[in-house]
mmCIF file of all heavy atoms in Angstrom:
data_model
loop_
_atom_site.group_PDB
_atom_site.id
_atom_site.type_symbol
_atom_site.label_atom_id
_atom_site.label_comp_id
_atom_site.label_asym_id
_atom_site.label_seq_id
_atom_site.Cartn_x
_atom_site.Cartn_y
_atom_site.Cartn_z
ATOM 1 N N GLY A 451 16.089 10.338 20.914
ATOM 2 C CA GLY A 451 15.714 9.550 22.141
ATOM 3 C C GLY A 451 16.221 10.163 23.393
ATOM 4 O O GLY A 451 15.889 9.771 24.438
ATOM 5 N N ARG A 452 17.175 11.094 23.251
ATOM 6 C CA ARG A 452 17.721 11.796 24.386
ATOM 7 C C ARG A 452 17.150 13.221 24.421
ATOM 8 O O ARG A 452 17.272 13.944 23.468
ATOM 9 C CB ARG A 452 19.254 11.918 24.250
ATOM 10 C CG ARG A 452 19.956 10.556 24.340
ATOM 11 C CD ARG A 452 21.467 10.738 24.399
ATOM 12 N NE ARG A 452 22.005 11.229 23.041
ATOM 13 C CZ ARG A 452 22.368 10.384 22.077
ATOM 14 N NH1 ARG A 452 22.268 9.074 22.266
ATOM 15 N NH2 ARG A 452 22.849 10.828 20.926
ATOM 16 N N VAL A 453 16.529 13.506 25.581
ATOM 17 C CA VAL A 453 15.943 14.820 25.682
ATOM 18 C C VAL A 453 16.716 15.668 26.643
ATOM 19 O O VAL A 453 16.863 15.345 27.771
ATOM 20 C CB VAL A 453 14.448 14.783 26.146
ATOM 21 C CG1 VAL A 453 13.809 16.105 26.154
ATOM 22 C CG2 VAL A 453 13.698 13.776 25.251
ATOM 23 N N PRO A 454 17.248 16.794 26.130
ATOM 24 C CA PRO A 454 18.052 17.628 26.982
ATOM 25 C C PRO A 454 17.260 18.014 28.252
ATOM 26 O O PRO A 454 16.066 18.335 28.143
ATOM 27 C CB PRO A 454 18.357 18.879 26.124
ATOM 28 C CG PRO A 454 18.139 18.375 24.765
ATOM 29 C CD PRO A 454 17.170 17.319 24.782
ATOM 30 N N GLY A 455 17.857 17.983 29.381
ATOM 31 C CA GLY A 455 17.261 18.346 30.609
ATOM 32 C C GLY A 455 16.508 17.184 31.304
ATOM 33 O O GLY A 455 16.061 17.270 32.401
ATOM 34 N N ILE A 456 16.346 16.057 30.588
ATOM 35 C CA ILE A 456 15.723 14.899 31.193
ATOM 36 C C ILE A 456 16.779 13.786 31.309
ATOM 37 O O ILE A 456 17.294 13.227 30.324
ATOM 38 C CB ILE A 456 14.550 14.346 30.380
ATOM 39 C CG1 ILE A 456 13.474 15.475 30.247
ATOM 40 C CG2 ILE A 456 13.976 13.128 31.148
ATOM 41 C CD1 ILE A 456 12.185 14.925 29.608
ATOM 42 N N ASP A 457 17.136 13.430 32.563
ATOM 43 C CA ASP A 457 18.124 12.411 32.836
ATOM 44 C C ASP A 457 17.398 11.089 32.774
ATOM 45 O O ASP A 457 16.433 10.867 33.575
ATOM 46 C CB ASP A 457 18.709 12.716 34.154
ATOM 47 C CG ASP A 457 19.702 11.564 34.579
ATOM 48 O OD1 ASP A 457 19.928 10.660 33.807
ATOM 49 O OD2 ASP A 457 20.157 11.641 35.755
ATOM 50 N N PRO A 458 17.765 10.213 31.850
ATOM 51 C CA PRO A 458 17.002 8.918 31.772
ATOM 52 C C PRO A 458 17.095 8.154 33.075
ATOM 53 O O PRO A 458 16.174 7.294 33.313
ATOM 54 C CB PRO A 458 17.796 8.154 30.675
ATOM 55 C CG PRO A 458 18.709 9.124 29.996
ATOM 56 C CD PRO A 458 18.807 10.287 30.893
ATOM 57 N N ALA A 459 18.011 8.484 33.930
ATOM 58 C CA ALA A 459 18.212 7.690 35.180
ATOM 59 C C ALA A 459 17.300 8.340 36.253
ATOM 60 O O ALA A 459 17.169 7.767 37.347
ATOM 61 C CB ALA A 459 19.654 7.660 35.621
ATOM 62 N N SER A 460 16.642 9.456 35.891
ATOM 63 C CA SER A 460 15.923 10.174 36.913
ATOM 64 C C SER A 460 14.582 9.503 37.265
ATOM 65 O O SER A 460 13.990 9.830 38.315
ATOM 66 C CB SER A 460 15.652 11.612 36.479
ATOM 67 O OG SER A 460 14.757 11.592 35.423
ATOM 68 N N ALA A 461 14.138 8.657 36.414
ATOM 69 C CA ALA A 461 12.803 8.046 36.680
ATOM 70 C C ALA A 461 12.846 6.649 36.355
ATOM 71 O O ALA A 461 13.557 6.194 35.423
ATOM 72 C CB ALA A 461 11.742 8.795 35.893
ATOM 73 N N HIS A 462 12.097 5.874 37.068
ATOM 74 C CA HIS A 462 12.027 4.456 36.709
ATOM 75 C C HIS A 462 10.862 4.294 35.691
ATOM 76 O O HIS A 462 9.721 4.691 35.955
ATOM 77 C CB HIS A 462 11.652 3.642 37.943
ATOM 78 C CG HIS A 462 11.307 2.245 37.648
ATOM 79 N ND1 HIS A 462 12.288 1.324 37.157
ATOM 80 C CD2 HIS A 462 10.152 1.524 37.710
ATOM 81 C CE1 HIS A 462 11.692 0.175 36.949
ATOM 82 N NE2 HIS A 462 10.433 0.308 37.223
ATOM 83 N N VAL A 463 11.248 3.862 34.505
ATOM 84 C CA VAL A 463 10.176 3.662 33.493
ATOM 85 C C VAL A 463 9.760 2.227 33.484
ATOM 86 O O VAL A 463 10.576 1.396 33.069
ATOM 87 C CB VAL A 463 10.690 4.110 32.089
ATOM 88 C CG1 VAL A 463 9.641 3.866 31.014
ATOM 89 C CG2 VAL A 463 11.116 5.584 32.138
ATOM 90 N N SER A 464 8.567 2.015 33.881
ATOM 91 C CA SER A 464 8.171 0.626 33.906
ATOM 92 C C SER A 464 7.627 0.203 32.530
ATOM 93 O O SER A 464 7.052 1.007 31.806
ATOM 94 C CB SER A 464 7.177 0.360 35.052
ATOM 95 O OG SER A 464 6.220 1.275 35.010
ATOM 96 N N ARG A 618 4.476 17.074 24.747
ATOM 97 C CA ARG A 618 4.705 17.346 26.120
ATOM 98 C C ARG A 618 3.879 18.549 26.464
ATOM 99 O O ARG A 618 4.106 19.666 25.924
ATOM 100 C CB ARG A 618 6.204 17.620 26.216
ATOM 101 C CG ARG A 618 6.729 17.685 27.547
ATOM 102 C CD ARG A 618 8.254 17.947 27.301
ATOM 103 N NE ARG A 618 8.981 17.986 28.509
ATOM 104 C CZ ARG A 618 10.252 18.163 28.572
ATOM 105 N NH1 ARG A 618 10.992 18.321 27.514
ATOM 106 N NH2 ARG A 618 10.824 18.176 29.757
ATOM 107 N N THR A 622 3.239 17.796 31.851
ATOM 108 C CA THR A 622 3.698 16.476 31.615
ATOM 109 C C THR A 622 5.001 16.249 32.374
ATOM 110 O O THR A 622 5.964 17.015 32.220
ATOM 111 C CB THR A 622 3.880 16.195 30.114
ATOM 112 O OG1 THR A 622 2.687 16.590 29.445
ATOM 113 C CG2 THR A 622 4.159 14.706 29.882
ATOM 114 N N SER A 623 5.140 15.146 33.126
ATOM 115 C CA SER A 623 6.309 14.974 33.911
ATOM 116 C C SER A 623 7.468 14.350 33.031
ATOM 117 O O SER A 623 7.184 13.763 31.968
ATOM 118 C CB SER A 623 6.063 14.033 35.100
ATOM 119 O OG SER A 623 5.869 12.689 34.575
ATOM 120 N N ASP A 624 8.649 14.454 33.479
ATOM 121 C CA ASP A 624 9.743 13.862 32.803
ATOM 122 C C ASP A 624 9.584 12.323 32.693
ATOM 123 O O ASP A 624 9.864 11.750 31.645
ATOM 124 C CB ASP A 624 11.074 14.144 33.541
ATOM 125 C CG ASP A 624 11.512 15.603 33.471
ATOM 126 O OD1 ASP A 624 10.785 16.363 32.759
ATOM 127 O OD2 ASP A 624 12.502 15.989 34.080
ATOM 128 N N ALA A 625 9.123 11.739 33.788
ATOM 129 C CA ALA A 625 8.913 10.300 33.732
ATOM 130 C C ALA A 625 7.939 9.939 32.658
ATOM 131 O O ALA A 625 8.141 8.847 31.985
ATOM 132 C CB ALA A 625 8.470 9.821 35.132
ATOM 133 N N THR A 626 6.872 10.702 32.480
ATOM 134 C CA THR A 626 5.910 10.401 31.456
ATOM 135 C C THR A 626 6.537 10.526 30.078
ATOM 136 O O THR A 626 6.295 9.735 29.203
ATOM 137 C CB THR A 626 4.668 11.240 31.616
ATOM 138 O OG1 THR A 626 4.198 11.172 32.944
ATOM 139 C CG2 THR A 626 3.622 10.944 30.628
ATOM 140 N N VAL A 627 7.386 11.578 29.903
ATOM 141 C CA VAL A 627 8.031 11.758 28.609
ATOM 142 C C VAL A 627 8.965 10.524 28.280
ATOM 143 O O VAL A 627 8.943 9.944 27.223
ATOM 144 C CB VAL A 627 8.873 13.017 28.586
ATOM 145 C CG1 VAL A 627 9.715 13.090 27.287
ATOM 146 C CG2 VAL A 627 7.946 14.230 28.659
ATOM 147 N N LEU A 628 9.627 10.087 29.333
ATOM 148 C CA LEU A 628 10.585 8.895 29.127
ATOM 149 C C LEU A 628 9.776 7.667 28.817
ATOM 150 O O LEU A 628 10.189 6.837 28.006
ATOM 151 C CB LEU A 628 11.375 8.657 30.464
ATOM 152 C CG LEU A 628 12.500 9.726 30.733
ATOM 153 C CD1 LEU A 628 13.061 9.519 32.071
ATOM 154 C CD2 LEU A 628 13.601 9.685 29.665
ATOM 155 N N ALA A 629 8.579 7.578 29.432
ATOM 156 C CA ALA A 629 7.700 6.428 29.144
ATOM 157 C C ALA A 629 7.269 6.491 27.644
ATOM 158 O O ALA A 629 7.244 5.435 26.983
ATOM 159 C CB ALA A 629 6.473 6.359 30.051
ATOM 160 N N LEU A 631 8.953 7.817 25.163
ATOM 161 C CA LEU A 631 10.097 7.417 24.379
ATOM 162 C C LEU A 631 10.348 5.922 24.409
ATOM 163 O O LEU A 631 10.643 5.309 23.392
ATOM 164 C CB LEU A 631 11.354 8.186 24.836
ATOM 165 C CG LEU A 631 11.420 9.617 24.492
ATOM 166 C CD1 LEU A 631 12.458 10.321 25.273
ATOM 167 C CD2 LEU A 631 11.650 9.822 22.948
#
Side-chain angles (χ1 to χ4, degrees):
R452 291 186 291 272
V453 184
I456 302 188
D457 175 5
S460 68
H462 170 69
V463 177
S464 44
R618 193 178 183 179
T622 310
S623 71
D624 289 359
T626 304
V627 173
L628 289 172
L631 284 166

